[in-house]
Amino acid sequence: MKERYEPAAIEFKWQQEWERSNLYVTREDPGRPKFYVLEMFPYPSGDGLSVGHLHNYVPCDVIGRYKRMAGFNVLHPMGWDAFGLPAENDALLKGLHPKETVPRYAANFKRQLKLVGCAYDWSREINSSSPDYYKWTQWFFLLLYRRGLAYRALGSQWWCEKCRTILANEQVVNGCCWRHTDTPVSKKDLEQWFFKITAYADRLLADLDGIDWPEPIKLMQRNWIGRSEGAELAFPVVGHPGREVRFFTTRPDTVFGVSFMVLAPEHPLVPEITSPAQRHEVENYVAQARRQSEIERLSTVKEKTGVFTGAYAQNLFTNRAIPIWIADYVLMGYGTGAIMAAPGEDQRDFEFAKKYGLEIPVVTVPADGTPAPSDRAFTEYGIAVNSGFLNGMKTEAAIRAVCKYAEEHEIGRPTVSYRMRDWLISRQRYWGCPIPIVYCAKDGVVPVPEDQLPVILPDMTDYQPSGTGRSPLANVPEFVNTTCPKCGGSATRETDTLDGFACSSWYFLRFASPHYDAGPFDKKAGDYWLPVDLYVGGAEHAVMHLLYARMWTKVMYDAGLVRFTEPFPVLRNQGMIWAADGQKMSKSRGNVVTPDAMVEKYGADALRLWELFMGPFEEATNWNEEGVVGTSRYLSRVWTLVRRYVEAGCPQGNPSLETLKRTHKTIRTVTDHIERLRFNTALAALMDLLNYFQKLQPEQLGRFAIESYVVLLAPMAPHITEEFWRALGHQESVHLESWPHFDPALTRDDSVTVVVQINGKVRDRLTIDAGTPEDDVRRLALTREPVQRHLAGKAPRKVIYVPDKLVSIVV
RNA sequence: GCGAGAGUGGCGGAACGGCAGACGCGCCGGACUUAGGAUCCGGUGCCGCAAGGCGUGGGGGUUCAAGUCCCCCCUCUCGCACCA
């Protein structure tokens, strides 16, 4: 071994050797359990990886390496989420083509991941923009289509002017596009494809209970799904025979207090029922509501506005005619776009009634007999009053009674409503997976037969989005014009492409058999490797990718393709690494730190260790390069330790009991902490042990201690430990070693320090044999000089003893 | 506004209700050096010469014992934002 640790001299050498010997190609040994660790599919951006991204990849690499050593068949693959707007926009900006930039960027990501020693099985690399991959994305589209889960609908959709495409609801954040948070979205009326994710709402919600995910993520999904139970009812419109207003309510028990109704301005009934006298005012209001930006309209602080339509509905419970208003606080996209207003029990309706002088009946009073408030709505549950057959009932019972009555009289039924809408998947852009659908004058909408897949994305030089709402693909006659698979007549292709999230809704299955060509995945391989044992990624995907992938998995389960209903039973979110200035690392801010620069300066192992050591894996922190100096220095000290041992001829040695015990305890700690993803404290334990080892001679250390140390460090610092391992005389890679076991007997302490507290303050410490009888410890404590001094003659009132820990004396 | 998470030395962070500050950075002192962003040794929460006292965002509480549990408040981050 060289005198000094020089990472550059060993890291590349070992990386090449591992690649040559196929060290990290996935093994499938039936005698071992499997472990599938996966990071979220990255989009390979032109900027390459930063040290922030590594905060995900390095820890997963440690887990993969550790699990392999601990006896598992490990699947740890990597691929590229290459279709989609970021790739297309980047290429447009640079005047290049994504088919050229994507492979280049992916190659750069791969180079960087190899540079830091991440052990992926590159033989399984996949790319969602490659025809062998998107063929199967199309296959899944057809599966959903066949199962009635893909449909086309005309409606007003979110449009981002910068993306020049329609977006799904989830992709709208605070009224702006999720990629362009400064660009407000607008509405555009277009016919679009949807996946019926709402059909899975209940299961997506219920199955959250059985998976091990961070609670905040589960909560976000629950809120996003937004299930609420209630009733759907309908009141007839007076003077319009056959017309009725259908509405959803969570408080059917308040029907007797319904003094007016409100429709969303876009509600289809509005033009029909508006009276001539009100028409002008109503039309103005509707036009104004349309013009309003979504941000304004979503504002909860804004005063409520509305207009009377001149029409009345008949409240079938009170038999009174009640006015029908329109107001923009009622949203067309939720429930039926219409509400019954119970101003006595709903604060929004209360405010509206107050403003427009509408009646405010009280039909629910507090159960404790106090009067209902008059300055606001009483929104809690209570007792029904002024409510006909409901009088005297508790809210819960009254809800059931109204539902029963409504069913019997065929005016409604209990129902469940969701905040979640269907997933809009059409994108009017070029760089995506073509939707395998053909339109025929005779046969209508015809799916492309499976044996004609993939529908190849044509080459285009000018793929600039049009802005008209049509995909650039519409300008390629060779693509658009085709024949109908059914009748053979002339037909046209769907020109929209699929939302990129479709590609990432099944990629975790493709890794099980990435080269399989008889289906999206080999059933046997899928059954063996899936589901993913540990899934790791950023919290920003809480309600998009994670919800979509869960839905697709349930569809696959229903279709008998897989045996599990949840793709990611265990999910963890890595903490965000901010730049040193506390801001997001970005090229435009000029604060990006690259792994390339860090590796050049300190080596891959030092960089890896700092990624692990800088803080808890799941917590955010700021990048601080000074820390790499520390881990680099640590590695140099380990180098010196091993070098001295090797130079001493690698003595078997005769370690003291303490050395043995410390080694065994460290094996226990490091194992436990890696299992719990506590990499920072796992490494701290190794640093601690090094500080102890440094005081010993090679003879006092011995082979067991040194080799255990090297093996424990191997998943975190793979290069230096490989160098050590060979220097210690081994022919095989350290990464093929078994994870060390500890002897529980050697992790127990013989003597312990017991603290003595007097009135809660530490006044003395005793060193005693572990397991010393309580009486002896108490007696000893009371005879000690510092204890006597602080007692000052006072008699203990109470003495608490925690075995081997403390004596607490109260005076 | 509602919901979730987080506030610990100069800094990153440790700590089954039981010795607050492990480990590391930085800093101070020393050794070896022509030199040091190398290496090694020692020190380092605050106040105090010391004995000792004070300390985990602030204020209460439970407990022999609270960073940890309970209540109120402040700050920051994230999510949702009229969902009937």
Side-chain angles (χ1 to χ4, degrees):
Chain A
M1 279 174 79
K2 286 202 177 153
E3 167 82 19
R4 287 184 45 161
Y5 167 50
E6 284 165 31
I10 59 168
E11 291 182 344
F12 185 61
K13 174 182 77 181
W14 289 120
Q15 285 165 13
Q16 284 195 308
E17 168 59 19
W18 298 333
E19 203 159 326
R20 192 198 57 74
S21 60
N22 284 328
L23 189 64
Y24 293 118
V25 169
T26 313
R27 290 171 295 174
E28 286 187 44
D29 171 356
R32 294 159 168 250
K34 66 95 181 179
F35 193 88
Y36 183 2
V37 53
L38 185 65
E39 296 99 302
M40 285 181 188
F41 213 25
Y43 150 65
S45 90
D47 296 343
L49 292 168
S50 73
V51 291
H53 297 111
L54 294 185
H55 201 234
N56 185 9
Y57 301 118
V58 169
C60 287
D61 185 55
V62 174
I63 289 291
R65 290 171 177 276
Y66 159 73
K67 286 285 179 182
R68 221 174 252 125
M69 295 172 92
F72 290 83
N73 292 327
V74 168
L75 176 58
H76 189 204
M78 180 49 69
W80 318 111
D81 189 13
F83 258 151
L85 293 170
E88 184 174 337
N89 289 342
D90 171 83
L92 279 167
L93 196 71
K94 294 177 179 160
L96 299 166
H97 197 284
K99 73 171 186 217
E100 186 251 316
T101 56
V102 159
R104 207 170 74 215
Y105 296 165
N108 187 44
F109 263 50
K110 186 172 175 177
R111 178 191 63 77
Q112 287 182 301
L113 289 169
K114 285 182 173 180
L115 182 71
V116 296
C118 283
Y120 297 104
D121 177 357
W122 290 107
S123 72
R124 292 179 186 244
E125 180 178 356
I126 61 176
N127 179 324
S128 65
S129 67
S130 122
D132 333 330
Y133 184 91
Y134 71 70
K135 172 181 181 175
W136 303 111
T137 307
Q138 293 173 345
W139 186 90
F140 276 112
F141 175 92
L142 295 176
L143 174 75
L144 269 78
Y145 181 81
R146 272 200 313 277
R147 300 183 69 83
L149 296 167
Y151 66 93
R152 238 157 51 115
L154 180 69
S156 113
Q157 313 301 345
W158 300 114
W159 172 269
C160 171
E161 197 44 52
K162 274 206 187 144
C163 290
R164 301 234 171 156
T165 185
I166 295 290
L167 301 173
N169 289 304
E170 297 79 13
Q171 293 162 11
V172 177
V173 177
N174 294 328
C176 293
C177 169
W178 70 297
R179 289 189 219 277
H180 304 104
T181 48
D182 54 347
T183 307
V185 292
S186 55
K187 286 267 175 166
K188 209 158 188 159
D189 290 330
L190 283 173
E191 182 138 37
Q192 302 289 318
W193 282 96
F194 292 86
F195 284 149
K196 204 185 265 178
I197 194 169
T198 51
Y200 284 82
D202 254 333
R203 287 163 67 186
L204 288 169
L205 185 68
D207 291 354
L208 283 173
D209 293 336
I211 53 182
D212 176 7
W213 284 20
E215 267 320 307
I217 301 290
K218 287 194 190 184
L219 191 68
M220 279 188 242
Q221 292 219 344
R222 284 193 189 103
N223 291 342
W224 187 262
I225 296 166
R227 181 184 205 272
S228 49
E229 287 184 15
E232 197 173 293
L233 301 169
F235 287 167
V237 182
V238 177
H240 291 267
R243 292 295 176 209
E244 57 180 23
V245 179
R246 301 199 68 80
F247 57 91
F248 174 75
T249 176
T250 55
R251 288 292 301 275
D253 60 297
T254 62
V255 277
F256 285 91
V258 172
S259 54
F260 61 102
M261 307 202 71
V262 187
L263 307 184
E266 310 90 328
H267 197 286
L269 220 46
V270 172
E272 195 178 330
I273 63 170
T274 301
S275 72
Q278 293 300 107
R279 186 158 302 274
H280 183 69
E281 210 186 334
V282 166
E283 281 173 358
N284 278 347
Y285 186 82
V286 171
Q288 175 235 311
R290 279 241 161 105
R291 268 201 315 276
Q292 252 179 38
S293 83
E294 286 304 319
I295 296 176
E296 287 168 34
R297 197 160 159 191
L298 286 172
S299 165
T300 47
V301 293
K302 193 189 69 169
E303 196 182 343
K304 297 193 176 8
T305 59
V307 172
F308 178 43
T309 61
Y312 290 84
Q314 189 193 0
N315 183 329
L316 294 176
F317 290 81
T318 60
N319 275 320
R320 292 173 56 189
I322 52 173
I324 304 174
W325 287 62
I326 60 169
D328 62 8
Y329 79 91
V330 176
L331 310 173
M332 196 56 224
Y334 182 76
T336 62
I339 61 160
M340 64 173 215
E345 287 71 33
D346 184 289
Q347 187 59 25
R348 295 156 303 183
D349 299 343
F350 179 87
E351 285 163 24
F352 194 79
K354 268 269 185 244
K355 176 162 177 185
Y356 293 105
L358 298 158
E359 205 187 327
I360 305 178
V362 170
V363 292
T364 307
V365 293
D368 60 11
T370 54
S374 59
D375 57 338
R376 59 179 171 89
F378 178 66
T379 56
E380 292 108 276
Y381 279 18
I383 307 288
V385 296
N386 306 322
S387 292
F389 65 91
L390 302 176
N391 282 338
M393 286 188 196
K394 282 187 175 167
T395 298
E396 294 87 342
I399 289 172
R400 284 194 298 273
V402 171
C403 288
K404 188 161 167 258
Y405 177 92
E407 275 183 303
E408 283 166 7
H409 295 77
E410 293 181 352
I411 57 168
R413 61 197 159 76
T415 183
V416 173
S417 190
Y418 297 95
R419 199 190 87 106
M420 181 170 70
R421 323 280 161 84
D422 278 339
W423 171 17
L424 191 156
I425 48 163
S426 295
R427 294 293 177 274
Q428 293 71 45
R429 293 288 294 250
Y430 168 66
W431 190 243
C433 174
I435 295 175
I437 288 288
V438 162
Y439 300 101
C440 168
K442 187 162 147 278
D443 296 307
V445 178
V446 182
V448 175
E450 275 178 34
D451 60 10
Q452 291 175 28
L453 297 182
V455 174
I456 294 281
L457 183 69
D459 250 334
M460 283 183 80
T461 43
D462 181 18
Y463 54 91
Q464 197 85 26
S466 66
T468 60
R470 296 237 38 204
S471 156
L473 288 178
N475 302 326
V476 186
E478 310 86 84
F479 175 80
V480 177
N481 300 318
T482 183
T483 52
C484 171
K486 259 193 191 159
C487 68
S490 67
T492 57
R493 284 191 192 282
E494 169 63 64
T495 54
D496 285 349
T497 50
L498 276 173
D499 179 9
F501 280 114
C503 306
S504 54
S505 290
W506 72 280
Y507 78 104
F508 44 92
L509 270 154
R510 188 66 183 164
F511 282 128
S513 50
H515 310 296
Y516 190 65
D517 61 4
F521 58 93
D522 179 7
K523 179 92 169 60
K524 231 180 85 208
D527 285 344
Y528 177 74
W529 286 113
L530 275 286
V532 176
D533 295 283
L534 175 65
Y535 195 46
V536 181
E540 68 273 17
H541 290 109
V543 288
M544 294 194 270
H545 163 58
L546 288 170
L547 204 56
Y548 300 145
R550 292 182 62 219
M551 179 217 170
W552 278 42
T553 300
K554 289 175 197 303
V555 175
M556 290 182 223
Y557 175 83
D558 293 347
L561 297 173
V562 299
R563 301 192 293 202
F564 50 92
T565 55
E566 286 292 336
F568 316 122
V570 179
L571 170 75
R572 293 292 179 268
N573 297 127
Q574 82 274 12
M576 183 82 187
I577 301 302
W578 306 103
D581 56 12
Q583 293 195 293
K584 204 175 159 139
M585 264 190 206
S586 73
K587 222 173 183 182
S588 58
R589 289 190 179 86
N591 57 10
V592 175
V593 181
T594 64
D596 310 63
M598 292 299 103
V599 168
E600 199 190 324
K601 232 165 147 181
Y602 307 100
D605 283 334
L607 171 60
R608 290 170 62 102
L609 291 191
W610 178 238
E611 294 279 350
L612 298 166
F613 190 64
M614 59 194 298
F617 170 63
E618 301 189 69
E619 272 163 47
T621 190
N622 291 3
W623 177 255
N624 170 17
E625 190 182 320
E626 300 286 291
V628 195
V629 177
T631 52
S632 161
R633 203 176 284 165
Y634 159 74
L635 287 173
S636 294
R637 296 210 309 271
V638 185
W639 182 275
T640 305
L641 179 88
V642 177
R643 181 175 52 75
R644 279 171 50 220
Y645 176 78
V646 170
E647 283 168 0
C650 298
Q652 200 57 39
N654 52 345
S656 65
L657 185 60
E658 187 186 0
T659 301
L660 272 179
K661 285 194 160 192
R662 282 185 186 254
T663 306
H664 280 268
K665 280 184 186 174
T666 305
I667 295 171
R668 184 184 60 185
T669 305
V670 172
T671 308
D672 181 50
H673 289 210
I674 289 181
E675 284 281 354
R676 288 158 46 201
L677 312 184
R678 306 285 297 267
F679 306 103
N680 56 331
T681 48
L683 186 52
L686 282 169
M687 289 176 168
D688 218 7
L689 187 61
L690 176 70
N691 290 342
Y692 170 77
F693 279 0
Q694 277 187 313
K695 298 182 186 113
L696 305 180
Q697 295 305 311
E699 182 63 25
Q700 298 171 294
L701 276 165
R703 192 169 270 276
F704 171 75
I706 285 282
E707 292 199 341
S708 298
Y709 197 92
V710 170
V711 174
L712 289 176
L713 184 57
M716 298 193 254
H719 311 86
I720 195 174
T721 49
E722 187 76 303
E723 185 74 13
F724 290 156
W725 200 243
R726 308 302 174 116
L728 288 165
H730 298 278
Q731 302 301 310
E732 291 284 325
S733 169
V734 68
H735 305 296
L736 294 171
E737 273 305 296
S738 289
W739 193 250
H741 292 280
F742 62 88
D743 177 353
L746 287 170
T747 63
R748 281 191 281 271
D749 289 307
D750 298 328
S751 79
V752 291
T753 302
V754 169
V755 297
V756 184
Q757 294 184 343
I758 295 171
N759 285 344
K761 288 197 196 308
V762 178
R763 298 301 186 185
D764 196 14
R765 292 182 174 79
L766 314 173
T767 302
I768 58 165
D769 289 343
T772 303
E774 175 171 349
D775 285 348
D776 296 356
V777 183
R778 283 171 177 253
R779 210 172 305 128
L780 176 63
L782 288 170
T783 58
R784 300 272 299 182
E785 187 277 327
V787 176
Q788 286 295 319
R789 180 152 49 86
H790 282 98
L791 281 177
K794 282 172 272 182
R797 215 177 67 219
K798 195 171 170 187
V799 179
I800 289 130
Y801 179 63
V802 180
D804 294 348
K805 282 252 168 69
L806 69 78
V807 179
S808 183
I809 301 167
V810 191
V811 296

